[in-house]
Amino acid sequence: MKTNKKYSLYTIAVLSFMALFISNNVSAQKSGITRTDLQKHDISVAGHETVQSRIDFEPHTAFGKHSHPGEEVIYVLEGSLEYQIEDKTPITLKAGEVLFIPAGQVHSAKNNTNAKASELATYIVEKGKPILVLSK
């Protein structure tokens, strides 16, 4: 009987986790941006994990100001994307270029082109915190 309770709690936890990612993906898809979480693992730094995601931007779409509870490392897979970090001058990166965003820095991303653009985002974040915090 204890085994069934363990599986039930595990199933509930997995389904809750999946629902969180699905709701993030659904809301992003409505705006022409699709986020696909690829992997998530604990790392050797206590209380931290790494999450890797692919983010696809349809032409002329943007993801507004937000931050993460840790570092973000971006690799542009295709197309070009404009990034605005805090009050710094926006930078545009094309496929093959990279960007490092320090923990807690408010930033945004835009696809200003007529073609699809994609990035591979790797987050090194504190466990238990939301991976993304929208800014006002």
Side-chain angles (χ1 to χ4, degrees), residues 14-128:
V14 168
L15 291 174
S16 298
F17 182 72
M18 287 173 56
L20 175 67
F21 283 119
I22 289 168
S23 65
N24 283 344
N25 287 340
V26 169
S27 64
Q29 287 174 359
K30 289 179 186 176
S31 66
I33 299 171
T34 305
R35 176 191 170 111
T36 305
D37 292 299
L38 303 171
Q39 61 178 331
K40 179 178 182 176
H41 299 282
D42 289 344
I43 60 173
S44 60
V45 177
H48 288 74
E49 63 189 353
T50 184
V51 178
Q52 198 167 51
S53 304
R54 178 185 174 117
I55 295 101
D56 296 300
F57 294 76
E58 291 299 321
H60 301 285
T61 58
F63 196 91
K65 292 181 178 183
H66 64 282
S67 64
H68 306 281
E71 290 75 16
E72 179 179 14
V73 181
I74 296 170
Y75 176 78
V76 178
L77 296 167
E78 65 180 300
S80 68
L81 292 164
E82 178 185 281
Y83 297 91
Q84 172 81 45
I85 302 172
E86 299 282 333
D87 294 328
K88 296 178 184 171
T89 303
I91 60 167
T92 300
L93 302 178
K94 62 182 188 281
E97 295 183 316
V98 297
L99 178 65
F100 177 83
I101 301 175
Q105 296 252 317
V106 175
H107 59 283
S108 61
K110 287 189 223 184
N111 178 359
N112 293 321
T113 72
N114 292 324
K116 179 182 167 186
S118 302
E119 69 176 28
L120 178 65
T122 303
Y123 308 97
I124 304 157
V125 295
E126 292 181 54
K127 281 182 82 164

